[in-house]
Amino acid sequence: MRVSTGSGSGSHSYGVTVTFTDAAGTTVDQATTSVTLGPDAARSLDVRMTRPALASRVSRCAARATA
C-alpha cells in the first residue's frame, strides 16, 4: 500500500489498518502499522496478515489510514 501526504508543515504520524475479508464480506484478518511522514511525502508500506495461514480465504482487502 502507498501512503502520501499533502502540503503542510511538520511531520505527522498515521495509523494504517488493513482489513482482509472473504467473499461473504466477513473479516478474516486485520493488520495495523504506523508511519510518520513529512509534508509532500509518500511511502510504500508492507502490511502483512497476522495470520497468513488464512490467506487462501481472502478475496479482498481494504485499507484505512487515520492521523
Side-chain angles (χ1 to χ4, degrees), residues 17-31:
T17 301
V18 178
T19 302
F20 302 89
T21 57
D22 63 14
T26 302
T27 298
V28 174
D29 198 5
Q30 194 170 51

Side-chain angles (χ1 to χ4, degrees), residues 12-15 65-67:
H12 298 281
S13 294
Y14 300 91
T66 55

Side-chain angles (χ1 to χ4, degrees), residues 5-51:
T5 62
S7 60
S9 61
S11 61
H12 298 281
S13 294
Y14 300 91
V16 179
T17 301
V18 178
T19 302
F20 302 89
T21 57
D22 63 14
T26 302
T27 298
V28 174
D29 198 5
Q30 194 170 51
T32 303
T33 192
S34 61
V35 63
T36 300
L37 296 172
D40 294 319
R43 181 175 301 158
S44 293
L45 300 175
D46 183 16
V47 183
R48 297 174 185 242
M49 293 179 67
T50 57
R51 298 181 294 170

